[in-house]
Amino acid sequence: MRVSMLLSLVRPVGPVVIGVSLGFTLSLLSISWVEEPCSEPKEDGGIPVRKPNSVPAGLGAEGEGNPQDFEPRIVPYKAASPQNPAKKTVRSRYISTELGIRERLFVGVLTSKTTLNTLAVAVNRTMGHHVDKVLYFTGTRSRKIPHGMYIVTHGDERPIWNMYQTVKYVFEHYGSEYDWFYFVQDDAYTEGDRIKSLVDHLSIDSDLYMGRPEEFIGGDTEGRYCYGGFGYLLSRSLVIKLQPHLENCRNDIVSARPDEWLGRCIIDYVAVNCVDEHEVGGTPGDFSRGKI
């Protein structure tokens, strides 16, 4: 009776006791299998000494572990000299500027005092929301100016002077920010989405002067210029090459029309003629659909 009662009490905890015992036994066996001896007897039979910690080959001198290589070193602080102050790092305002990321298309609209509040406003309503940047250039302007338009005034109504000042202004302020530059008069209807789609498929590395080619009237200039009434497209690489010669063009080239003047300047100093289609792929270059 007592034996049966004792077995009934021990039976529930029996598996637990057996499991704990088996666990301790396996732990002791695993330690004896994987642990390396931490001491070796001396050759002279003296007291065993502990093996030094091993260092992977290549970290110490001549491929051997050297504990001194891992000791901390104190680097002395050297104050900046007043004669040679540390240069302050100048960061760009926009990350796109620092990374050299440019917008695709800049549009310059040539307008006048008499048409600024009529034709230029119509151009802004039809094309302004299709392209990245639109500026309006005029010789003079009235006191009342349209709202929401970026207008640049040159202070002179002479056509050639205005063309020179417009190109110079665009090159100096936006030459490094855009890949393509499109110039058009305010009396031309331009499909802004078509121009933007066009430049998305053109290579920025080509010296491209694209528009409606026209022959020069008189003079000895060979080649063709782009008619300003329908607008013309300039690549950034061509703009970079033309920029140093603008002053010479203003002084040396005599012309009655601003589009002819610019065409002569490009041909004389960059040797690029106006084309109505791209050399590779035959991309059309007729941007406009007549005049308003």
Side-chain angles (χ1 to χ4, degrees), residues 53-66 69-70:
N53 293 333
S54 59
V55 180
L59 296 180
E62 298 182 0
E64 297 180 357
N66 187 356
D69 294 339
F70 301 95

Side-chain angles (χ1 to χ4, degrees), residues 259-271:
D259 49 3
E260 287 189 15
W261 173 84
L262 182 60
R264 292 179 188 273
C265 182
I266 294 175
I267 293 174
D268 290 348
Y269 290 95
V270 189

Side-chain angles (χ1 to χ4, degrees), residues 4-257:
S4 60
M5 291 179 62
L6 181 61
L7 291 176
S8 62
L9 294 175
V10 174
R11 186 178 293 111
V13 298
V16 177
V17 175
I18 296 174
V20 173
S21 302
L22 183 60
F24 277 113
T25 304
L26 294 177
S27 299
L28 294 174
L29 291 175
S30 63
I31 292 174
S32 63
W33 289 343
V34 300
E35 186 178 17
E36 295 180 358
C38 62
S39 62
E40 293 181 357
K42 285 188 177 182
E43 296 181 359
D44 56 358
I47 300 174
V49 296
R50 185 178 179 84
K51 288 180 60 179
N53 293 333
S54 59
V55 180
L59 296 180
E62 298 182 0
E64 297 180 357
N66 187 356
Q68 295 181 354
D69 294 339
F70 301 95
E71 294 181 356
R73 292 180 299 172
I74 300 176
V75 180
Y77 171 75
K78 294 182 179 180
S81 175
Q83 289 78 11
N84 298 318
K87 295 183 179 179
K88 184 179 180 180
T89 303
V90 180
R91 303 299 298 271
S92 303
R93 182 178 181 182
Y94 302 104
I95 190 172
S96 59
T97 305
E98 187 166 338
L99 297 178
I101 301 175
R102 294 184 296 272
E103 300 290 344
R104 293 293 291 175
L105 180 63
F106 174 94
V107 176
V109 180
L110 305 175
T111 183
S112 63
K113 178 180 179 179
T114 57
T115 61
L116 178 61
N117 291 280
T118 54
L119 297 179
V121 171
V123 172
N124 187 64
R125 290 176 178 176
T126 57
M127 186 173 59
H129 60 283
H130 286 292
V131 297
D132 302 319
K133 186 76 172 182
V134 183
L135 264 67
Y136 298 84
F137 298 91
T138 179
T140 58
R141 64 183 182 186
S142 60
R143 293 182 178 179
K144 182 181 179 181
I145 60 175
H147 178 70
M149 296 170 56
Y150 191 178
I151 302 170
V152 179
T153 304
H154 299 313
D156 197 318
E157 291 289 350
R158 290 177 295 175
I160 303 299
W161 174 260
N162 281 334
M163 187 76 254
Y164 163 76
Q165 290 291 344
T166 296
V167 176
K168 183 174 181 291
Y169 182 92
V170 172
F171 290 178
E172 291 179 351
H173 291 81
Y174 299 98
S176 60
E177 298 182 14
Y178 291 85
D179 292 330
W180 295 95
F181 301 88
Y182 177 69
F183 296 94
V184 66
Q185 296 179 4
D186 61 0
D187 59 352
Y189 170 69
T190 305
E191 297 181 359
D193 54 346
R194 187 182 177 189
I195 297 180
K196 190 171 183 179
S197 177
L198 173 68
V199 299
D200 287 341
H201 295 83
L202 296 177
S203 173
I204 62 176
D205 296 329
S206 59
D207 297 337
L208 193 60
Y209 177 34
M210 180 184 289
R212 177 179 173 178
E214 294 286 344
E215 299 288 344
F216 289 102
I217 300 176
D220 54 354
T221 302
E222 298 181 358
R224 298 186 298 177
Y225 70 95
C226 287
Y227 175 57
F230 292 159
Y232 41 87
L233 188 68
L234 304 179
S235 65
R236 182 173 180 270
S237 61
L238 186 143
V239 166
I240 294 175
K241 294 179 181 179
L242 182 64
Q243 186 174 6
H245 308 291
L246 281 178
E247 194 72 23
N248 294 334
C249 293
R250 188 193 66 172
N251 298 329
D252 298 341
I253 298 177
V254 179
S255 181
R257 294 172 52 90

